Amino acid sequence: IAGITQAPTSQILAAGRRMTLRCTQDMRHNAMYWYRQDLGLGLRLIHYSNTAGTTGKGEVPDGYSVSRANTDDFPLTLASAVPSQTSVYFCASSAGLAGGLNTQYFGPGTRLTVL
Amino acid sequence: QKEVEQNSGPLSVPEGAIASLNCTYSDRGSQSFFWYRQYSGKSPELIMSIYSNGDKEDGRFTAQLNKASQYVSLLIRDSQPSDSATYLCAVGSSNTGKLIFGQGTTLQVKP
């Protein structure tokens, strides 16, 4: 089934640990995105990639890093997790830049708790 | 001023009624507008997109766009309990290549 997969589904992590959230899409979309969703704050963009080999910072990039080695994969790394990074993380993709006529599709999400 | 604003609700309507969800945005350069539905514990799913002024209908859903007033709305006719969810408005600009999301409106359809 075509779409976006994320792993893990949920994770409890000790503060200070390193964690990589995985995202894979099989739609051959050029653009990929990472959002976090917090109650009362909505969806906020962390990092994005308009095409393989390029990445950019979103609204809340601090404490996170990404890479885009190929079209399909867009991992998000927390180098040293802190409790404020407790959130639900969504990966998304679109065929082209999301601001134009391209629809953005979302993965199922990863629920991360940092203690 | 938030870039995309929605009333958080909850908006409560009886089954069979019309639910009206509203969204305003601040960037006049915005060119694409989307409505996503998000059930509790699930990811957002696209239900409507609209790019030009006027109405766009898809089944029980109608999106309305007024760029002069910087306003986009979603009407749900014959509301069903299964429509109970949070509805996210998203606005995009080809200049930035990104979507900005509102905080969402929670809709409750009561049987």
Side-chain angles (χ1 to χ4, degrees):
Chain A
I1 298 176
I4 302 173
T5 58
Q6 292 185 237
T9 301
S10 65
Q11 182 75 44
I12 299 174
L13 188 67
R17 298 296 296 269
R18 180 183 179 89
M19 176 74 191
T20 295
L21 307 185
R22 300 185 298 279
C23 174
T24 300
Q25 54 100 1
D26 62 2
M27 297 177 283
R28 306 302 295 172
H29 282 175
N30 285 317
M32 296 187 74
Y33 311 84
W34 274 106
Y35 292 90
R36 60 178 290 174
Q37 188 173 39
D38 304 287
L39 193 64
L41 297 176
L43 281 163
R44 294 182 292 168
L45 183 65
I46 305 170
H47 284 287
Y48 64 94
S49 169
N50 289 336
T51 189
T54 69
T55 62
K57 294 181 179 180
E59 180 184 356
V60 288
D62 293 344
Y64 306 94
S65 64
V66 292
S67 61
R68 186 89 184 276
N70 57 60
T71 297
D72 299 342
D73 301 301
F74 191 43
L76 176 73
T77 297
L78 289 68
S80 179
V82 295
S84 61
Q85 293 178 310
T86 294
S87 187
V88 179
Y89 291 86
F90 289 105
C91 180
S93 72
S94 57
L97 293 181
L101 303 182
N102 297 291
T103 299
Q104 196 167 110
Y105 299 94
F106 285 82
T110 293
R111 183 174 296 275
L112 181 67
T113 302
V114 183
L115 300 177
Chain B
Q1 180 188 6
K2 295 179 182 176
E3 295 184 69
V4 178
E5 293 203 54
Q6 296 180 256
N7 189 321
S8 61
L11 172 66
S12 183
V13 300
E15 184 174 357
I18 295 175
S20 177
L21 305 165
N22 304 314
C23 173
T24 58
Y25 60 94
S26 60
D27 183 2
R28 285 193 171 275
S30 300
Q31 298 172 315
S32 55
F33 307 85
F34 305 87
W35 283 99
Y36 286 83
R37 177 177 62 200
Q38 186 175 25
Y39 292 114
S40 180
K42 302 295 185 182
S43 59
E45 60 174 322
L46 180 74
I47 52 173
M48 290 287 287
S49 60
I50 188 166
Y51 307 107
S52 54
N53 281 328
D55 294 359
K56 179 181 178 182
E57 186 175 320
D58 183 0
R60 295 186 296 112
F61 299 97
T62 299
Q64 299 174 319
L65 175 62
N66 184 325
K67 290 186 178 180
S69 299
Q70 295 174 249
Y71 176 95
V72 57
S73 64
L74 179 71
L75 301 179
I76 306 174
R77 290 182 299 282
D78 188 23
S79 295
Q80 301 296 308
S82 59
D83 294 326
S84 298
T86 296
Y87 290 80
L88 303 173
C89 172
V91 176
S93 168
S94 60
N95 292 333
T96 65
K98 302 184 190 67
L99 294 185
I100 303 297
F101 286 83
Q103 291 190 19
T105 298
T106 299
L107 173 67
Q108 297 174 345
V109 181
K110 300 196 172 182

Coordinates of all heavy atoms in Angstrom, one line a residue, chain B residues 54-107:
Chain B
G54 N -14.5 31.4 -4.4 CA -15.8 30.7 -4.6 C -16.0 29.5 -3.8 O -15.3 29.3 -2.8
D55 N -16.9 28.6 -4.3 CA -17.2 27.4 -3.6 C -16.7 26.2 -4.4 O -16.6 26.2 -5.6 CB -18.7 27.3 -3.5 CG -19.4 28.3 -2.6 OD1 -18.6 29.2 -2.1 OD2 -20.6 28.4 -2.4
K56 N -16.3 25.2 -3.6 CA -16.0 23.9 -4.2 C -16.7 22.8 -3.4 O -16.5 22.8 -2.2 CB -14.4 23.7 -4.1 CG -14.0 22.4 -4.7 CD -12.5 22.2 -4.6 CE -12.0 20.9 -5.1 NZ -10.5 20.7 -5.0
E57 N -17.4 22.0 -4.1 CA -18.2 21.0 -3.4 C -17.7 19.6 -3.7 O -17.3 19.3 -4.8 CB -19.7 21.1 -3.9 CG -20.7 20.2 -3.2 CD -22.1 20.4 -3.6 OE1 -22.5 21.6 -3.8 OE2 -22.8 19.4 -3.8
D58 N -17.7 18.7 -2.7 CA -17.3 17.3 -2.8 C -18.2 16.5 -1.8 O -17.9 16.5 -0.6 CB -15.8 17.2 -2.5 CG -15.4 15.7 -2.7 OD1 -16.2 14.9 -3.1 OD2 -14.2 15.5 -2.5
G59 N -19.2 16.0 -2.4 CA -20.2 15.2 -1.5 C -20.8 16.1 -0.5 O -21.4 17.1 -0.9
R60 N -20.7 15.8 0.8 CA -21.4 16.6 1.8 C -20.5 17.8 2.2 O -20.9 18.6 3.1 CB -21.6 15.7 3.1 CG -22.6 14.6 2.8 CD -22.9 13.8 4.1 NE -21.8 13.2 4.7 CZ -21.2 13.5 5.8 NH1 -21.7 14.6 6.5 NH2 -20.2 12.8 6.3
F61 N -19.3 17.9 1.7 CA -18.4 19.0 2.0 C -18.4 20.1 1.0 O -18.4 19.8 -0.2 CB -17.0 18.4 2.2 CG -16.9 17.4 3.3 CD1 -16.9 16.0 2.9 CD2 -16.7 17.7 4.6 CE1 -16.8 15.0 3.9 CE2 -16.6 16.8 5.6 CZ -16.6 15.4 5.2
T62 N -18.4 21.3 1.5 CA -18.2 22.5 0.6 C -17.2 23.4 1.2 O -17.3 23.8 2.4 CB -19.5 23.3 0.4 OG1 -20.5 22.4 -0.2 CG2 -19.3 24.5 -0.5
A63 N -16.1 23.7 0.4 CA -15.1 24.7 0.9 C -15.5 26.0 0.2 O -15.9 26.0 -1.0 CB -13.7 24.2 0.5
Q64 N -15.3 27.1 0.9 CA -15.6 28.4 0.4 C -14.3 29.3 0.7 O -13.8 29.3 1.8 CB -16.8 29.0 1.1 CG -18.1 28.2 0.9 CD -19.2 28.8 1.8 OE1 -19.0 29.2 2.9 NE2 -20.4 28.9 1.2
L65 N -13.9 30.0 -0.4 CA -12.7 30.8 -0.3 C -13.1 32.3 -0.7 O -13.7 32.5 -1.7 CB -11.6 30.3 -1.2 CG -10.3 31.1 -1.2 CD1 -9.7 31.3 0.1 CD2 -9.4 30.5 -2.3
N66 N -12.6 33.2 0.1 CA -12.8 34.6 -0.2 C -11.4 35.3 0.1 O -11.1 35.6 1.2 CB -13.9 35.3 0.7 CG -14.1 36.7 0.3 OD1 -13.2 37.5 0.0 ND2 -15.3 37.2 0.4
K67 N -10.6 35.4 -1.0 CA -9.3 36.0 -0.8 C -9.3 37.4 -0.4 O -8.4 37.9 0.4 CB -8.5 35.8 -2.1 CG -8.1 34.3 -2.4 CD -7.2 34.2 -3.6 CE -6.8 32.8 -3.8 NZ -5.9 32.6 -5.0
A68 N -10.3 38.2 -0.8 CA -10.3 39.6 -0.5 C -10.5 39.8 1.1 O -9.9 40.6 1.7 CB -11.5 40.3 -1.2
S69 N -11.3 38.9 1.6 CA -11.5 38.9 3.1 C -10.6 38.0 3.8 O -10.6 38.0 5.1 CB -13.0 38.5 3.4 OG -13.9 39.4 2.8
Q70 N -9.7 37.3 3.1 CA -8.7 36.4 3.7 C -9.4 35.4 4.6 O -9.1 35.2 5.8 CB -7.7 37.2 4.5 CG -6.8 38.0 3.5 CD -5.9 38.9 4.2 OE1 -6.0 40.1 4.2 NE2 -4.9 38.3 4.8
Y71 N -10.4 34.7 4.0 CA -11.3 33.8 4.8 C -11.6 32.6 4.0 O -11.8 32.6 2.8 CB -12.6 34.7 5.0 CG -13.7 34.0 5.7 CD1 -13.9 34.1 7.0 CD2 -14.6 33.2 4.9 CE1 -15.0 33.5 7.6 CE2 -15.7 32.6 5.5 CZ -15.9 32.8 6.9 OH -17.0 32.2 7.5
V72 N -11.5 31.4 4.7 CA -11.8 30.2 4.1 C -12.7 29.4 5.1 O -12.5 29.4 6.3 CB -10.6 29.4 3.6 CG1 -9.7 29.1 4.8 CG2 -10.9 28.1 2.9
S73 N -13.7 28.7 4.5 CA -14.6 28.0 5.4 C -14.9 26.6 4.9 O -14.6 26.3 3.7 CB -15.9 28.8 5.6 OG -16.6 28.9 4.4
L74 N -15.4 25.8 5.7 CA -15.8 24.4 5.4 C -17.2 24.2 5.9 O -17.4 24.4 7.1 CB -14.8 23.4 6.0 CG -15.2 21.9 5.7 CD1 -14.9 21.6 4.2 CD2 -14.3 21.0 6.5
L75 N -18.1 23.8 5.0 CA -19.5 23.4 5.4 C -19.6 21.9 5.3 O -19.2 21.3 4.3 CB -20.5 24.1 4.5 CG -20.4 25.7 4.5 CD1 -21.5 26.2 3.5 CD2 -20.7 26.2 5.9
I76 N -20.2 21.3 6.3 CA -20.5 19.9 6.3 C -22.0 19.8 6.4 O -22.6 20.1 7.4 CB -19.8 19.2 7.4 CG1 -18.3 19.4 7.4 CG2 -20.1 17.7 7.3 CD1 -17.6 18.8 8.6
R77 N -22.6 19.3 5.3 CA -24.1 19.1 5.3 C -24.4 17.7 5.9 O -23.6 16.8 5.8 CB -24.6 19.2 3.9 CG -24.5 20.6 3.3 CD -25.1 20.7 1.9 NE -24.4 19.8 1.0 CZ -23.2 20.1 0.4 NH1 -22.7 21.3 0.7 NH2 -22.6 19.3 -0.4
D78 N -25.6 17.7 6.4 CA -26.1 16.4 7.0 C -25.1 15.8 7.9 O -24.6 14.6 7.7 CB -26.5 15.4 5.8 CG -27.2 14.2 6.3 OD1 -27.8 14.2 7.4 OD2 -27.1 13.1 5.6
S79 N -24.6 16.5 8.9 CA -23.6 16.1 9.8 C -23.9 14.7 10.4 O -25.0 14.5 10.8 CB -23.3 17.1 10.8 OG -22.8 18.3 10.3
Q80 N -22.9 13.9 10.5 CA -23.0 12.6 11.1 C -22.1 12.5 12.3 O -21.1 13.1 12.4 CB -22.6 11.5 10.1 CG -23.5 11.5 8.8 CD -24.9 11.2 9.1 OE1 -25.3 10.2 9.8 NE2 -25.8 12.1 8.6
P81 N -22.5 11.6 13.3 CA -21.6 11.4 14.4 C -20.1 11.1 14.0 O -19.2 11.4 14.7 CB -22.2 10.3 15.2 CG -23.7 10.5 14.9 CD -23.7 10.9 13.5
S82 N -20.0 10.4 12.9 CA -18.7 10.0 12.4 C -17.8 11.2 11.9 O -16.6 11.1 11.7 CB -18.8 9.0 11.3 OG -19.5 9.5 10.2
D83 N -18.5 12.4 11.8 CA -17.8 13.6 11.4 C -17.1 14.3 12.6 O -16.4 15.2 12.5 CB -18.8 14.6 10.8 CG -19.3 14.2 9.4 OD1 -18.6 13.5 8.7 OD2 -20.5 14.5 9.1
S84 N -17.4 13.8 13.8 CA -16.8 14.3 15.0 C -15.3 14.1 15.0 O -14.8 13.0 14.9 CB -17.4 13.6 16.3 OG -18.8 13.9 16.3
A85 N -14.6 15.2 15.0 CA -13.1 15.2 14.8 C -12.6 16.6 15.0 O -13.4 17.6 15.2 CB -12.8 14.7 13.4
T86 N -11.3 16.8 14.9 CA -10.8 18.1 14.8 C -10.4 18.4 13.3 O -9.9 17.6 12.6 CB -9.5 18.2 15.6 OG1 -9.8 18.0 17.0 CG2 -8.8 19.6 15.5
Y87 N -10.8 19.6 12.9 CA -10.6 20.0 11.5 C -9.6 21.1 11.5 O -9.7 22.1 12.1 CB -12.0 20.5 10.9 CG -12.9 19.4 10.7 CD1 -13.7 18.9 11.8 CD2 -13.1 18.8 9.5 CE1 -14.5 17.8 11.6 CE2 -13.9 17.7 9.3 CZ -14.6 17.2 10.4 OH -15.5 16.1 10.2
L88 N -8.5 20.8 10.7 CA -7.4 21.7 10.6 C -7.4 22.5 9.3 O -7.6 21.9 8.2 CB -6.1 20.9 10.6 CG -5.9 20.0 11.9 CD1 -4.6 19.2 11.7 CD2 -5.7 20.9 13.1
C89 N -7.3 23.8 9.4 CA -7.2 24.6 8.2 C -5.7 24.8 7.9 O -4.9 25.1 8.9 CB -7.9 26.0 8.5 SG -7.6 27.2 7.2
A90 N -5.3 24.7 6.7 CA -3.9 24.9 6.3 C -3.8 25.8 5.1 O -4.6 25.7 4.2 CB -3.2 23.5 6.0
V91 N -2.9 26.7 5.2 CA -2.7 27.7 4.1 C -1.3 27.7 3.6 O -0.3 27.6 4.4 CB -3.0 29.1 4.7 CG1 -2.8 30.2 3.7 CG2 -4.5 29.2 5.2
G92 N -1.2 27.7 2.3 CA 0.2 27.6 1.7 C 0.5 28.8 0.8 O -0.4 29.4 0.2
S93 N 1.8 29.0 0.7 CA 2.3 30.1 -0.2 C 3.4 29.5 -1.1 O 4.3 28.8 -0.6 CB 2.8 31.3 0.5 OG 3.6 32.1 -0.3
S94 N 3.3 29.7 -2.4 CA 4.3 29.2 -3.3 C 5.6 29.9 -3.1 O 6.7 29.4 -3.4 CB 3.9 29.3 -4.8 OG 3.6 30.6 -5.1
N95 N 5.6 31.1 -2.4 CA 6.8 31.8 -2.1 C 7.6 31.1 -1.1 O 8.9 31.0 -1.2 CB 6.5 33.2 -1.6 CG 5.9 34.1 -2.7 OD1 6.2 33.8 -3.9 ND2 5.1 35.0 -2.3
T96 N 7.0 30.5 -0.1 CA 7.7 29.8 1.0 C 7.7 28.3 0.8 O 8.6 27.6 1.3 CB 7.0 30.1 2.3 OG1 5.7 29.5 2.3 CG2 6.9 31.6 2.6
G97 N 6.8 27.8 0.0 CA 6.8 26.3 -0.2 C 6.4 25.6 1.0 O 6.7 24.4 1.2
K98 N 5.7 26.2 1.9 CA 5.3 25.6 3.2 C 3.8 25.8 3.5 O 3.2 26.8 2.9 CB 6.1 26.1 4.3 CG 7.6 25.9 4.2 CD 8.3 26.4 5.4 CE 9.8 26.5 5.2 NZ 10.2 27.5 4.3
L99 N 3.2 24.9 4.3 CA 1.9 25.1 4.8 C 2.0 25.6 6.2 O 2.8 25.2 7.0 CB 1.1 23.8 4.8 CG 0.8 23.1 3.5 CD1 -0.1 21.9 3.7 CD2 0.1 24.1 2.5
I100 N 1.0 26.6 6.5 CA 0.9 27.0 7.9 C -0.5 26.5 8.4 O -1.5 26.7 7.7 CB 0.9 28.5 8.0 CG1 2.2 29.1 7.5 CG2 0.7 29.0 9.5 CD1 3.4 28.7 8.2
F101 N -0.5 25.8 9.5 CA -1.7 25.2 10.0 C -2.3 26.1 11.1 O -1.6 26.6 12.0 CB -1.4 23.8 10.6 CG -1.2 22.8 9.6 CD1 0.1 22.6 9.0 CD2 -2.2 21.9 9.1 CE1 0.3 21.7 8.0 CE2 -2.0 21.0 8.2 CZ -0.7 20.9 7.6
G102 N -3.7 26.1 11.1 CA -4.4 26.6 12.3 C -4.4 25.6 13.4 O -3.9 24.4 13.2
Q103 N -4.8 26.0 14.6 CA -4.8 25.1 15.7 C -5.9 24.0 15.6 O -5.9 23.1 16.4 CB -4.9 25.9 17.0 CG -3.7 26.7 17.3 CD -3.7 27.3 18.7 OE1 -4.5 26.8 19.6 NE2 -2.9 28.3 18.9
G104 N -6.9 24.3 14.7 CA -7.9 23.3 14.6 C -9.2 23.6 15.4 O -9.1 24.3 16.4
T105 N -10.3 23.2 14.8 CA -11.6 23.3 15.4 C -12.2 21.9 15.7 O -12.2 21.1 14.8 CB -12.6 24.1 14.6 OG1 -12.1 25.4 14.3 CG2 -14.0 24.1 15.2
T106 N -12.5 21.7 17.0 CA -13.1 20.4 17.3 C -14.6 20.4 17.1 O -15.3 21.3 17.6 CB -12.8 20.1 18.8 OG1 -11.4 20.0 19.0 CG2 -13.5 18.8 19.2
L107 N -15.1 19.5 16.3 CA -16.5 19.4 16.0 C -17.1 18.2 16.7 O -16.5 17.1 16.6 CB -16.7 19.2 14.5 CG -18.1 18.9 14.0 CD1 -19.0 20.1 14.2 CD2 -18.1 18.5 12.5

